[in-house]
Amino acid sequence: MVYFKASPRQVYEAILSSKEFSESTKLSFPNFSPASAKIDSTVGGTFSVFDGHIIGRNLELVPDQRIVQAWRVVDWPPGVYSIARFEIKAQGSGTQLIFDHIGFPAGLKEHLATGWQEHYWNALTKYFQ
């Protein structure tokens, strides 16, 4: 669970906008290109973030409430995708994001948890300041 000082709409858009996601990434990781994210924000649309290191497809989108993605690191075995689920809920003057990530290759839980914290949650927290 993560809390952001932003509205549910702002959180939803930042995760699904090529421009906003790239901007949030640059705040924490200046080595990524200014257009490090390419995101088609429609159901079935593909995405590539962190200059192509993470790729996938949007499986379910409920505006300002839920994002479900087939998600993978490019060096995983071909055809192996995990499921990343973002539940977005208004809480006080901000937004609570409940995140679930399942189906990734064995042995990667700690590595992925660190990556989500550093590359997603910390970057988005800075972006919303």
Side-chain angles (χ1 to χ4, degrees), residues 15 47 54 57-61 66-72 81-87 98-104 116 120-121:
I15 294 169
F47 65 88
I54 306 297
R57 182 174 304 277
N58 296 316
L59 302 177
E60 180 184 5
L61 300 173
R66 182 181 313 113
I67 300 166
V68 181
Q69 297 176 324
W71 189 98
R72 66 176 267 116
Y81 282 82
S82 61
I83 301 296
R85 181 182 177 101
F86 307 76
E87 288 287 338
I98 300 166
F99 179 72
D100 189 32
H101 189 196
I102 60 171
F104 45 82
W116 284 106
Y120 278 76
W121 316 141

Side-chain angles (χ1 to χ4, degrees), residues 12-81:
Y12 182 87
E13 293 294 330
I15 294 169
L16 288 176
S17 163
S18 299
K19 181 179 184 290
E20 290 187 51
F21 196 93
S22 294
E23 287 173 3
S24 74
T25 299
K26 283 294 281 179
L27 290 174
S28 296
F29 303 96
N31 292 338
F32 284 117
S33 70
S36 66
K38 292 173 180 51
I39 303 168
D40 176 344
S41 60
T42 61
V43 173
T46 61
F47 65 88
S48 167
V49 294
F50 308 117
D51 287 326
H53 186 68
I54 306 297
I55 60 172
R57 182 174 304 277
N58 296 316
L59 302 177
E60 180 184 5
L61 300 173
V62 179
D64 310 335
Q65 296 176 40
R66 182 181 313 113
I67 300 166
V68 181
Q69 297 176 324
W71 189 98
R72 66 176 267 116
V73 179
V74 295
D75 62 3
W76 287 359
V80 174
Y81 282 82

